[in-house]
Amino acid sequence: KKALNSAPSRVVLCDRNGNRKLFLEGNNSYFGPGPTCPHFIDPATGERRKAIKQDVVDTAIVTDALPNIDFVMSLCMISDHTPELADVHEFHAMLQNTTKPIVGWTFDVFGLSDVVDMCCAVAGSLEELQRNPFIAMYSEPTTPLTHSKNALDKLLFLSGKKLPVVYTPGMILGGTAPVTIAGALAVGVADNLTGLLLSQLKREGSPFIGAAPGGPLDMKTMQHSYGAPEWSLQHAASTDIFHYLNIPIWSAAGASDSKVVDQQAALESTLQITASALSGAHLIHDVGFIDLGMTGSLDQLVMCDEIIGMVRRFINGVDVDEGRLAVDVISAVGPGGQFMGEEHTFRYFKNELWNPTLLDRQAYADWKSQGGKEMGVRIAEKVQKILNEHKPEPLSEEVVRKLDEIVERAE
């Protein structure tokens, strides 16, 4: 109880320039990719291959451009650099290709120290990074009820520096946790509160982000399912608990068990994004996962950006005031009239009506005349357009040199 009282009830994450962007409190929900997929769908060929550093660059660029993706994660674990430094190289790539807040991971405290040094070089100092943090770093207990040296080293390092830490288990219901959602929540909350207590003993008031997330072990395939309804239900129930505890909340959505971005991927992602947004979770990651969390996909990320926009419009509900009730306009138009030419329509339609960028609403003849492109084709074209045209705000040459020096030191 003492730790719950001393941990901040909200965490604010900034962009790279120090502007406050993500307010982890109330029912504010923010979406971003996930990390550590060993494979990636090549955006040019569509082939599944091992992830490389350029995939992190591309993920950061695409995320930087998408209006409904609020923070950046690497979406992969790279294979083309020193394996023990995949985490450091990924952060090196993300910092240079987005201004959005970054949620990162590292293997151990040594890589974490290098990552924080890079962030201090960008911010100007540790004090400035603490004042306007543009990072939150992830660590993870090993359910059930185990806390490794690496996990605790990272937790205590971040708490000591008063930087935001995510410390949540990744439970497999029926595998590393009870198969019942209630039982999994009991284990996950216990693991999480252990981390919360240690973080506050290290430094009272250090920012902590919690949850008890997980998904089911499919008893036919022995795979951990990301697309199962129980995955979303576990996250939503966890969110309820951590709202009650008044701790900023980690969650997940926008993932699929499908091996390609298809109807299954759209179905699973839509349910997850709707559930997570309605639950009021704060940092919602794993957008862009396919293949049971083993493969990252920019097509999936771009499709989910559209879904998130649609869901956000839905959960915003209906605003009712004198202007929107439009009684005077209804009276003026009268029976049998139409509202297309009314000034009221012009004033409200852009904010009242959600405008898709990928979903097709044309007449059949118009759709056919423009190539009759299916959704998958439109998504792939949008990915290529962003990669070809979007230019994230660059860092100064001096800061880039400092980042390079930190990576060389780590090597």
Side-chain angles (χ1 to χ4, degrees):
K1 288 181 179 178
K2 184 170 186 283
L4 283 168
N5 286 330
S6 67
S9 58
R10 81 166 187 165
V11 170
V12 179
L13 296 180
C14 303
D15 65 15
R16 198 178 67 190
N17 297 319
N19 302 306
R20 297 187 162 204
K21 291 293 184 178
L22 311 186
F23 298 86
L24 311 187
E25 62 181 339
N27 290 315
N28 297 336
S29 290
Y30 305 101
F31 292 85
T36 64
C37 295
H39 300 96
F40 208 82
I41 301 299
D42 190 295
T45 67
E47 295 298 315
R48 180 181 186 262
R49 54 161 172 75
K50 288 188 175 181
I52 59 176
K53 190 170 182 177
Q54 183 61 42
D55 297 327
V56 185
V57 172
D58 291 347
T59 298
I61 291 171
V62 170
T63 300
D64 194 73
L66 293 174
N68 296 299
I69 306 297
D70 306 294
F71 62 90
V72 178
M73 293 190 85
S74 61
L75 198 51
C76 62
M77 182 160 57
I78 64 174
S79 63
D80 60 337
H81 286 71
T82 304
E84 294 83 358
L85 297 177
D87 47 0
V88 176
H89 279 282
E90 288 173 25
F91 225 93
H92 179 252
M94 289 187 288
L95 280 170
Q96 297 179 73
N97 290 283
T98 185
T99 60
K100 289 185 177 180
I102 299 174
V103 180
W105 68 278
T106 62
F107 291 117
D108 52 38
V109 74
F110 306 107
L112 179 57
S113 178
D114 292 328
V115 164
V116 171
D117 284 350
M118 283 194 281
C119 293
C120 289
V122 171
S125 67
L126 175 60
E127 292 72 25
E128 188 58 35
L129 183 63
Q130 291 168 329
R131 188 176 301 113
N132 295 305
F134 58 84
I135 61 163
M137 297 299 294
Y138 182 83
S139 188
E140 184 176 302
T142 307
T143 299
L145 309 175
T146 305
H147 301 263
S148 69
K149 183 180 189 305
N150 276 338
L152 293 177
D153 281 347
K154 291 184 285 184
L155 171 72
L156 296 175
F157 178 88
L158 291 162
S159 299
K161 292 191 178 296
K162 209 170 185 178
L163 294 172
V165 59
V166 180
Y167 192 76
T168 65
M171 297 182 289
I172 303 176
L173 280 63
T176 63
V179 74
T180 57
I181 292 174
L185 287 167
V187 170
V189 170
D191 278 337
N192 192 261
L193 292 182
T194 302
L196 172 69
L197 173 60
L198 291 172
S199 76
Q200 298 307 301
L201 287 172
K202 177 68 178 180
R203 183 164 181 168
E204 198 168 287
S206 61
F208 183 90
I209 299 164
L217 181 68
D218 185 284
M219 296 301 173
K220 289 185 292 185
T221 64
M222 290 293 104
Q223 298 295 325
H224 172 212
S225 173
Y226 281 70
E230 294 83 10
W231 195 74
S232 294
L233 192 56
Q234 173 80 30
H235 285 80
S238 162
T239 297
D240 271 356
I241 292 170
F242 284 84
H243 272 306
Y244 172 77
L245 296 175
N246 205 21
I247 295 292
I249 303 160
W250 182 246
S251 189
S256 175
D257 295 337
S258 179
K259 310 307 176 282
V260 294
V261 180
D262 59 3
Q263 291 92 332
Q264 177 181 336
L267 186 159
E268 291 171 342
S269 301
T270 300
L271 171 63
Q272 295 166 11
I273 290 166
T274 304
S276 62
L278 287 172
S279 75
H282 298 142
L283 279 181
I284 304 167
H285 77 309
D286 285 356
V287 181
F289 275 21
I290 59 172
D291 182 26
L292 303 139
M294 296 300 290
T295 302
S297 167
L298 295 179
D299 283 14
Q300 172 78 355
L301 184 66
V302 165
M303 180 179 71
C304 286
D305 175 76
E306 186 90 336
I307 297 169
I308 294 164
M310 183 182 244
V311 168
R312 280 177 163 165
R313 175 61 190 98
F314 178 76
I315 68 171
N316 279 343
V318 179
D319 292 325
V320 180
D321 55 33
E322 187 174 352
R324 287 175 174 81
L325 279 173
V327 173
D328 292 344
V329 183
I330 296 167
S331 178
V333 169
Q338 55 82 19
F339 293 83
M340 268 186 76
E342 294 298 315
E343 191 274 336
H344 181 272
T345 301
F346 180 77
R347 188 190 323 148
Y348 282 103
F349 84 95
K350 287 186 179 180
N351 293 325
E352 192 77 8
L353 307 179
W354 175 70
N355 186 34
T357 62
L358 285 170
L359 301 181
D360 177 70
R361 292 177 172 177
Q362 300 179 94
Y364 184 88
D366 293 332
W367 171 75
K368 196 70 175 174
S369 69
Q370 294 180 23
K373 296 174 184 176
E374 295 183 3
M375 180 74 161
V377 175
R378 300 195 298 270
I379 290 170
E381 288 179 349
K382 184 172 180 178
V383 170
Q384 290 302 318
K385 180 178 175 63
I386 292 172
L387 292 176
N388 291 333
E389 298 179 6
H390 183 71
K391 305 298 179 186
E393 180 185 323
L395 292 167
S396 70
E397 291 183 8
E398 180 185 0
V399 170
V400 171
R401 178 179 55 78
K402 290 179 181 178
L403 300 184
D404 292 343
E405 289 173 355
I406 292 168
V407 173
E408 289 169 11
R409 182 188 72 194
E411 289 284 1

PDB file of all heavy atoms in Angstrom, residues 251-262:
ATOM      1  N   SER A 251      -0.753  -2.446 -22.080  1.00  0.00           N
ATOM      2  CA  SER A 251      -1.681  -3.391 -22.684  1.00  0.00           C
ATOM      3  C   SER A 251      -1.201  -3.723 -24.089  1.00  0.00           C
ATOM      4  O   SER A 251      -0.080  -3.362 -24.472  1.00  0.00           O
ATOM      5  CB  SER A 251      -3.101  -2.812 -22.709  1.00  0.00           C
ATOM      6  OG  SER A 251      -4.038  -3.796 -23.095  1.00  0.00           O
ATOM      7  N   ALA A 252      -2.028  -4.417 -24.851  1.00  0.00           N
ATOM      8  CA  ALA A 252      -1.633  -4.838 -26.197  1.00  0.00           C
ATOM      9  C   ALA A 252      -2.848  -4.993 -27.090  1.00  0.00           C
ATOM     10  O   ALA A 252      -3.943  -5.304 -26.627  1.00  0.00           O
ATOM     11  CB  ALA A 252      -0.859  -6.156 -26.131  1.00  0.00           C
ATOM     12  N   ALA A 253      -2.630  -4.781 -28.399  1.00  0.00           N
ATOM     13  CA  ALA A 253      -3.678  -4.950 -29.411  1.00  0.00           C
ATOM     14  C   ALA A 253      -3.030  -4.826 -30.778  1.00  0.00           C
ATOM     15  O   ALA A 253      -1.866  -4.438 -30.900  1.00  0.00           O
ATOM     16  CB  ALA A 253      -4.782  -3.905 -29.248  1.00  0.00           C
ATOM     17  N   GLY A 254      -3.806  -5.144 -31.814  1.00  0.00           N
ATOM     18  CA  GLY A 254      -3.312  -4.978 -33.179  1.00  0.00           C
ATOM     19  C   GLY A 254      -2.414  -6.100 -33.640  1.00  0.00           C
ATOM     20  O   GLY A 254      -1.594  -5.915 -34.544  1.00  0.00           O
ATOM     21  N   ALA A 255      -2.569  -7.289 -33.038  1.00  0.00           N
ATOM     22  CA  ALA A 255      -1.758  -8.451 -33.383  1.00  0.00           C
ATOM     23  C   ALA A 255      -2.641  -9.541 -33.973  1.00  0.00           C
ATOM     24  O   ALA A 255      -3.852  -9.565 -33.765  1.00  0.00           O
ATOM     25  CB  ALA A 255      -1.033  -8.977 -32.145  1.00  0.00           C
ATOM     26  N   SER A 256      -2.013 -10.475 -34.689  1.00  0.00           N
ATOM     27  CA  SER A 256      -2.779 -11.560 -35.298  1.00  0.00           C
ATOM     28  C   SER A 256      -1.953 -12.837 -35.318  1.00  0.00           C
ATOM     29  O   SER A 256      -0.725 -12.803 -35.413  1.00  0.00           O
ATOM     30  CB  SER A 256      -3.187 -11.195 -36.727  1.00  0.00           C
ATOM     31  OG  SER A 256      -3.823 -12.286 -37.372  1.00  0.00           O
ATOM     32  N   ASP A 257      -2.635 -13.967 -35.259  1.00  0.00           N
ATOM     33  CA  ASP A 257      -1.980 -15.266 -35.431  1.00  0.00           C
ATOM     34  C   ASP A 257      -1.814 -15.617 -36.908  1.00  0.00           C
ATOM     35  O   ASP A 257      -1.075 -16.552 -37.247  1.00  0.00           O
ATOM     36  CB  ASP A 257      -2.799 -16.363 -34.746  1.00  0.00           C
ATOM     37  CG  ASP A 257      -2.848 -16.193 -33.230  1.00  0.00           C
ATOM     38  OD1 ASP A 257      -1.947 -15.532 -32.683  1.00  0.00           O
ATOM     39  OD2 ASP A 257      -3.793 -16.708 -32.603  1.00  0.00           O
ATOM     40  N   SER A 258      -2.473 -14.883 -37.790  1.00  0.00           N
ATOM     41  CA  SER A 258      -2.376 -15.155 -39.222  1.00  0.00           C
ATOM     42  C   SER A 258      -0.941 -14.938 -39.704  1.00  0.00           C
ATOM     43  O   SER A 258      -0.215 -14.090 -39.185  1.00  0.00           O
ATOM     44  CB  SER A 258      -3.318 -14.234 -39.995  1.00  0.00           C
ATOM     45  OG  SER A 258      -3.206 -14.467 -41.387  1.00  0.00           O
ATOM     46  N   LYS A 259      -0.548 -15.695 -40.727  1.00  0.00           N
ATOM     47  CA  LYS A 259       0.807 -15.594 -41.249  1.00  0.00           C
ATOM     48  C   LYS A 259       0.944 -14.494 -42.294  1.00  0.00           C
ATOM     49  O   LYS A 259       2.053 -14.137 -42.696  1.00  0.00           O
ATOM     50  CB  LYS A 259       1.250 -16.938 -41.858  1.00  0.00           C
ATOM     51  CG  LYS A 259       1.014 -18.145 -40.929  1.00  0.00           C
ATOM     52  CD  LYS A 259       1.617 -17.947 -39.542  1.00  0.00           C
ATOM     53  CE  LYS A 259       1.304 -19.084 -38.596  1.00  0.00           C
ATOM     54  NZ  LYS A 259      -0.070 -19.030 -38.028  1.00  0.00           N
ATOM     55  N   VAL A 260      -0.186 -13.956 -42.735  1.00  0.00           N
ATOM     56  CA  VAL A 260      -0.200 -12.855 -43.693  1.00  0.00           C
ATOM     57  C   VAL A 260      -1.254 -11.845 -43.245  1.00  0.00           C
ATOM     58  O   VAL A 260      -2.093 -12.132 -42.387  1.00  0.00           O
ATOM     59  CB  VAL A 260      -0.530 -13.353 -45.126  1.00  0.00           C
ATOM     60  CG1 VAL A 260       0.579 -14.258 -45.648  1.00  0.00           C
ATOM     61  CG2 VAL A 260      -1.871 -14.084 -45.160  1.00  0.00           C
ATOM     62  N   VAL A 261      -1.226 -10.665 -43.843  1.00  0.00           N
ATOM     63  CA  VAL A 261      -2.211  -9.641 -43.505  1.00  0.00           C
ATOM     64  C   VAL A 261      -3.443  -9.879 -44.368  1.00  0.00           C
ATOM     65  O   VAL A 261      -3.521  -9.464 -45.525  1.00  0.00           O
ATOM     66  CB  VAL A 261      -1.630  -8.222 -43.716  1.00  0.00           C
ATOM     67  CG1 VAL A 261      -2.660  -7.159 -43.359  1.00  0.00           C
ATOM     68  CG2 VAL A 261      -0.376  -8.050 -42.875  1.00  0.00           C
ATOM     69  N   ASP A 262      -4.410 -10.586 -43.779  1.00  0.00           N
ATOM     70  CA  ASP A 262      -5.586 -11.017 -44.523  1.00  0.00           C
ATOM     71  C   ASP A 262      -6.841 -10.771 -43.698  1.00  0.00           C
ATOM     72  O   ASP A 262      -6.828  -9.987 -42.732  1.00  0.00           O
ATOM     73  CB  ASP A 262      -5.450 -12.494 -44.898  1.00  0.00           C
ATOM     74  CG  ASP A 262      -5.295 -13.411 -43.668  1.00  0.00           C
ATOM     75  OD1 ASP A 262      -5.343 -12.898 -42.524  1.00  0.00           O
ATOM     76  OD2 ASP A 262      -5.136 -14.633 -43.852  1.00  0.00           O
TER      77      ASP A 262
END
